[in-house]
Amino acid sequence: MAATKGHINGGQDFTNGNVTVSLNNNGWPGYTIMTSGRCRDVWNMVMQEGIEVVPGTEPPSGGYAAAVVSGNLRRCIYEYSSRNPDLTLAFIYDTTNGDILPPDGAAGAFGGWLLITLTGVRLINRRRKKSGQ
């Protein structure tokens, strides 16, 4: 939705409520070069859900950590802090094309990790099997 609104506005940044949504050269929320802080800012620009998101790799309890994917300054990885060590909630956002990818960064099916849309977030939990199960 953010990319569509930006496209309607001629590819310009726009205000959503009291938040300015910055679009990169490809028309997606983000910046040409991402940092952990900018990854956090993109979440806050688009989602506005009141979920705590901090830059870095240590998510707060009940919140997300936002960091740049190692070796790719155009991708952000978001990892949710779960109290259940057998549950991983994470996804990668590619600012070049708006793709949402599983934590390993591979394109294609999610295999049940996490589905996010620009209209909201739906978590699809996939529990890891413990040995012997």
Side-chain angles (χ1 to χ4, degrees):
M1 288 179 60
T4 300
K5 188 168 183 177
H7 181 72
I8 291 168
N9 289 332
Q12 302 296 314
D13 297 352
F14 62 91
T15 301
N16 184 15
N18 62 352
V19 176
T20 298
V21 178
S22 297
L23 302 175
N24 62 22
N25 294 336
N26 296 324
W28 291 98
Y31 305 91
T32 303
I33 296 178
M34 299 301 292
T35 64
S36 293
R38 286 180 169 177
C39 289
R40 178 213 44 221
D41 293 347
V42 166
W43 177 284
N44 291 331
M45 284 188 280
V46 176
M47 300 306 289
Q48 300 179 30
E49 294 290 328
I51 298 172
E52 185 179 8
V53 179
V54 298
T57 58
E58 295 296 323
S61 181
Y64 282 87
V68 175
V69 173
S70 179
N72 190 331
L73 297 179
R74 294 179 184 249
R75 285 185 174 181
C76 296
I77 186 164
Y78 298 92
E79 185 173 348
Y80 181 73
S81 173
S82 174
R83 293 183 182 96
N84 181 345
D86 296 325
L87 180 63
T88 298
L89 299 176
F91 65 94
I92 292 172
Y93 168 60
D94 189 328
T95 64
T96 59
N97 56 20
D99 280 351
I100 304 297
L101 306 166
D104 62 7
F110 268 77
W113 281 98
L114 174 78
L115 176 66
I116 183 171
T117 68
L118 293 180
T119 59
V121 177
R122 280 184 32 209
L123 300 180
I124 302 171
N125 300 338
R126 182 169 100 182
R127 298 186 184 277
R128 296 183 193 143
K129 290 184 179 180
K130 294 182 181 178
S131 59
Q133 290 185 331

